[in-house]
Amino acid sequence: MRKLATMLVALMVIMTTGWAGNAGAASKAIVIDGSTTVGPIAKSFASYFMKKYKVPVTVSESGSGNGAKSLINGSCDIADMSRSMKPQEIAAAKARKINPVANVVALDGLAMIVHPSNPVRALTEAQIADIFSGRLNNWRQVGGPNFPIVVIQRESNSGTQETFKELVMKGRAVVSGAETQASNGAVKNRVSQTRGAIGFVGLGYLDASVKKIAVNGVLPSAATVKNKTYRLSRDLYMYTNGKPAGVVGTFIDLPNTPDGKRIIQELGFVPKY
Amino acid sequence: MQNSNGMIDDGASKQGRSSVFIVSARKRKLQKISQKSGEATLFLIASFVAIIVLFIFWFVARDAVPFFDSLHTFREFFTSSEWYPADDPPRFGALAIIYGSLMITVGSALIAVPMGILASICLSDILPFNVRQYVKPVIEMLAAIPSVAYGFFALVVFAPLLQNSGGPILMWAWWLIATPFLLLMVIVASELLTTSIAKGAMKKTAHLGLILILGALALLLLYFVGNHLQGLMIMSGTNALNVSIILSFMALPTIVSVSEDALQAVGRDLREGSYALGATRAETIIKTVLPAASSGILAAVILGIMRALGETMVVWMASGNSSHIPDPWFNYLESVRTLTATIAGDMGEADQVTGSARFHVLFAMGLILLIVSFVSNLISERIVVRQRKVLSGQ
């Protein structure tokens, strides 16, 4: 019995000191949460930042919606978002005395991707909307082989999904049989493995395992996104509480530095400035 | 008593006394206090666990009830399969999602239950003891693999495999499972059908003929179903079948472990009694051991099914998450969405931030899951208790 009691006390001591230790660390480090699209930029920035300024940075990717939520709850310093904050979110933040400020990190194109074996090269926005709303369900209908289309969308917490719905669907509902994946990586993975699949990812996720589709005759690339000829493009944000200052300010300023621009370009995104 | 004796010994030897029974009043008091405080701590921890369960119920129900504030939303939730929580106005038809949960639970049970029960019979009654010692821990190790690892496997390895060679895989699976089963059926059926015929040459020929006819029928069945399965095209590997198979592996260790314990609990006496009456091993297992262990096995099955129903990561990664009822309704080759995956996937948007209904609907789903698993747990608990009573009564 005595042993047990000692052990319990020891356990409590360890737990309380552990918590205290955590709390101490959190105030110094930069905590980032949010979009899986912005995630790669945040992660590369983080490793660059940690090397240069010796400040620990943690990056989690839970979707733009979760990022906004974390910022509002005060559990992160920077919320990565691939869409702008909604009025309701801003209202909720204000109610909690948090003042979300949008900082544009980079530009991104929303690339439509299909399986590499798919001969279809180009689609119009209207065709994409028809495919995702279920009106077209065979590749034959858009000039491809006689093969059913597997539509892949993102979870509703995804900023990429919201951008897609806003830019392409324009109020139409995505077909209920559409597969739903939780991240850009998962969409790319599924499309690269599924013959009939079509999905959408951020520019940074394009590689040889999937085939990008020209939209309204324009292929997504850094150049076409920057000169606005590629229609499906958007700003990527890092939201902060108030105007970023201190280490967070230095971090947010990275896209304006030459190294930051290089990192953004290397990842396949487009620097804003 | 042993504990306090030990302590007394300890104290006595330190002080170099000869008698072990003399203890100072102070020491006895200390002992009592430490004993009481230890008991109190343990009681606190135990009641804490119970309180946690109550609190979970309370908090989930508190946020779920507001969703059902009108009959309209209630009806829509259970009868419509239009799940568009982000639209304006949002539609919260969860029928397809509830159906998806049901579908993969049934699917995984169909695979895991027969497999698990047969494996546990094999472990308890057929394998020699020293082999069982190694096999059981290996099966139980399936439970130690984190679910995200299963999900990753299902998404990255199993789904493409199903897409690229799903037909042949299904065909081989059908042959492997159905051949021994049909063979057994043919033998047993021909045996049963000829029992009424008197002994002699007549019986022998009838028996042989029946085996041939039934065997031919079975072969035809094997061939045609196999052929049909081979011709199937699987459009997307992230579907209900994929998840059902993976979930059945995850449910297996629970089912095997618990039902094997139940079979062991039947005991030697009953088995030896059965053998003494001239029963064969098959008869002993089927007619004596299984009925005696049936409630324990049922409890194992319920526990295994709950494992499948509550699993989130695997279904979220590999079920495809499309909120529709497959067409036709038993089509396991289409993707489905489950309650658990919907809660995980929609939680990000569903805060107080984006309005209440979207937040509360997820709690309503959680409440459904909670109630189902709570009731099932109660039932299996009841069953186990009853079995213990029956066995100890004998």
Side-chain angles (χ1 to χ4, degrees):
Chain A
M1 275 308 172
R2 203 183 286 163
K3 250 188 198 163
L4 191 75
T6 343
M7 266 162 65
L8 279 171
V9 170
L11 198 71
M12 280 172 196
V13 169
I14 289 169
M15 276 155 76
T16 42
T17 50
W19 279 326
N22 266 344
S27 60
K28 264 200 296 177
I30 302 179
V31 181
I32 304 178
D33 191 9
S35 163
T36 66
T37 311
V38 192
I41 301 182
K43 275 194 264 186
S44 297
F45 277 9
S47 59
Y48 171 80
F49 200 75
M50 281 193 275
K51 231 180 267 161
K52 194 165 175 189
Y53 298 96
K54 310 277 179 250
V55 176
V57 183
T58 61
V59 180
S60 6
E61 301 179 9
S62 52
S64 295
N66 283 330
K69 206 168 107 181
S70 298
L71 190 71
I72 293 166
N73 292 338
S75 54
C76 73
D77 302 309
I78 298 174
D80 292 342
M81 294 187 71
S82 58
R83 58 168 170 82
S84 49
M85 264 202 190
K86 296 175 193 164
Q88 302 100 302
E89 286 168 338
I90 292 173
K94 289 268 154 65
R96 295 194 176 204
K97 302 250 179 330
I98 292 210
N99 174 29
V101 172
N103 308 282
V104 176
V105 194
L107 299 176
D108 186 26
L110 207 65
M112 305 303 305
I113 53 173
V114 295
H115 191 259
S117 74
N118 196 326
V120 172
R121 284 191 190 158
L123 294 169
T124 64
E125 266 178 62
Q127 280 175 322
I128 297 172
D130 281 346
I131 288 173
F132 274 80
S133 63
R135 256 192 62 200
L136 303 177
N137 52 25
N138 195 308
W139 285 108
R140 193 181 45 194
Q141 292 160 314
V142 291
N146 180 12
F147 206 75
I149 299 177
V150 178
V151 174
I152 299 179
Q153 62 169 350
R154 290 283 305 280
E155 285 291 353
S156 61
N157 65 356
S158 150
T160 313
Q161 170 82 4
E162 304 235 348
T163 312
F164 176 78
K165 278 166 77 176
E166 190 185 310
L167 293 176
V168 181
M169 299 308 284
K170 300 193 175 88
R172 289 166 76 180
V174 176
V175 60
S176 68
E179 279 189 27
T180 311
Q181 293 297 334
S183 67
N184 276 293
V187 171
K188 190 187 87 173
N189 181 290
R190 289 295 302 141
V191 172
S192 71
Q193 290 165 347
T194 311
R195 221 184 115 195
I198 182 169
F200 49 85
V201 293
L203 272 190
Y205 284 86
L206 287 179
D207 61 26
S209 69
V210 291
K211 182 178 155 188
K212 56 182 178 182
I213 291 273
V215 178
N216 294 345
V218 184
L219 271 174
S221 71
T224 54
V225 166
K226 194 154 196 180
N227 66 21
K228 307 269 180 201
T229 48
Y230 186 71
R231 289 256 303 111
L232 309 183
S233 66
R234 55 174 168 173
D235 289 343
L236 299 180
Y237 303 94
M238 285 188 179
Y239 273 84
T240 49
N241 177 15
K243 223 172 152 31
V247 279
V248 176
T250 320
F251 189 90
I252 290 292
D253 208 35
L254 278 181
N256 298 324
T257 64
D259 280 339
K261 279 183 193 159
R262 182 180 49 78
I263 291 171
I264 290 172
Q265 266 164 347
E266 273 170 8
L267 291 170
F269 296 97
V270 186
K272 171 93 177 178
Y273 306 104
Chain B
M1 272 329 268
Q2 215 152 28
N3 198 1
S4 61
N5 257 337
M7 282 183 181
I8 294 162
D9 248 348
D10 216 31
S13 62
K14 260 186 215 154
Q15 289 159 33
R17 284 188 197 152
S18 54
S19 167
V20 293
F21 293 107
I22 303 166
V23 185
S24 72
R26 206 178 127 259
K27 201 153 193 187
R28 182 168 288 171
K29 210 173 176 182
L30 254 173
Q31 253 176 38
K32 212 161 204 172
I33 290 172
S34 68
Q35 184 182 345
K36 282 275 180 264
S37 64
E39 278 171 5
T41 321
L42 288 180
F43 176 76
L44 258 177
I45 291 171
S47 46
F48 186 60
V49 174
I51 287 170
I52 286 176
V53 173
L54 287 180
F55 264 91
I56 289 174
F57 248 106
W58 162 247
F59 277 107
V60 171
R62 196 189 61 174
D63 276 318
V65 167
F67 177 73
F68 298 119
D69 56 353
S70 77
L71 197 65
H72 170 71
T73 52
F74 190 81
R75 193 184 301 144
E76 186 189 35
F77 186 78
F78 285 107
T79 58
S80 153
S81 52
E82 302 255 297
W83 177 254
Y84 292 107
D87 281 12
D88 193 27
R91 277 166 289 167
F92 297 111
L95 181 65
I97 297 172
I98 295 171
Y99 182 75
S101 269
L102 189 79
M103 195 165 164
I104 60 140
T105 308
V106 170
S108 57
L110 281 179
I111 303 168
V113 168
M115 226 162 122
I117 293 177
L118 292 179
S120 63
I121 291 172
C122 181
L123 277 176
S124 79
D125 278 71
I126 291 167
L127 286 183
F129 179 73
N130 50 0
V131 178
R132 182 174 76 217
Q133 262 182 319
Y134 294 105
V135 175
K136 201 178 177 190
V138 170
I139 292 180
E140 278 166 354
M141 234 163 67
L142 281 175
I145 300 173
S147 59
V148 68
Y150 278 108
F152 190 71
F153 174 81
L155 181 65
V156 174
V157 180
F158 199 46
L161 199 69
L162 276 180
Q163 278 161 205
N164 298 333
S165 42
I169 289 177
L170 288 179
M171 181 187 73
W172 281 107
W174 161 252
W175 281 352
L176 276 177
I177 295 165
T179 311
F181 184 71
L182 284 174
L183 193 70
L184 207 69
M185 290 272 285
V186 166
I187 294 171
V188 171
S190 59
E191 196 75 47
L192 285 178
L193 286 174
T194 48
T195 40
S196 55
I197 302 171
K199 275 183 183 169
M202 170 87 168
K203 176 165 179 162
K204 253 186 186 158
T205 44
H207 197 181
L208 202 71
L210 259 175
I211 283 191
L212 281 177
I213 294 168
L214 289 174
L217 280 176
L219 272 180
L220 278 178
L221 190 70
L222 273 177
Y223 175 76
F224 280 113
V225 174
N227 225 17
H228 174 72
L229 287 175
Q230 195 188 16
L232 279 180
M233 263 295 283
I234 299 180
M235 293 312 307
S236 171
T238 50
N239 54 29
L241 178 72
N242 181 337
V243 176
S244 297
I245 292 173
I246 301 291
L247 284 186
S248 71
F249 291 158
M250 297 177 73
L252 261 184
T254 316
I255 297 181
V256 171
S257 182
V258 177
S259 54
E260 204 255 358
D261 287 345
L263 289 169
Q264 286 289 317
V266 170
R268 266 183 103 90
D269 313 355
L270 224 54
R271 287 186 174 84
E272 279 169 0
S274 173
Y275 288 136
L277 289 172
T280 62
R281 184 148 78 172
E283 284 165 337
T284 304
I285 291 171
I286 294 169
K287 294 191 172 156
T288 309
V289 179
L290 277 181
S294 61
S295 47
I297 292 174
L298 195 61
V301 167
I302 291 175
L303 283 177
I305 288 176
M306 289 332 295
R307 179 91 176 84
L309 179 68
E311 176 50 42
T312 308
M313 209 57 215
V314 170
V315 287
W316 193 24
M317 289 170 90
S319 71
N321 294 322
S322 40
S323 50
H324 69 143
I325 295 178
D327 174 44
W329 58 271
F330 52 83
N331 188 354
Y332 270 86
L333 301 179
E334 281 192 26
S335 36
V336 293
R337 192 180 178 96
T338 66
L339 290 168
T340 49
T342 306
I343 296 175
D346 273 11
M347 213 53 197
E349 285 293 287
D351 207 21
Q352 58 281 14
V353 177
T354 40
S356 53
R358 200 160 165 202
F359 178 67
H360 295 308
V361 70
L362 297 185
F363 277 89
M365 291 178 164
L367 188 65
I368 293 177
L369 284 171
L370 200 60
I371 289 172
V372 171
S373 66
F374 186 72
V375 169
S376 315
N377 265 330
L378 271 188
I379 293 173
S380 72
E381 190 88 351
R382 264 288 165 79
I383 291 169
V384 169
V385 169
R386 202 181 61 193
Q387 187 197 27
R388 207 169 290 150
K389 268 185 197 155
V390 168
L391 282 181
S392 61
Q394 273 169 353

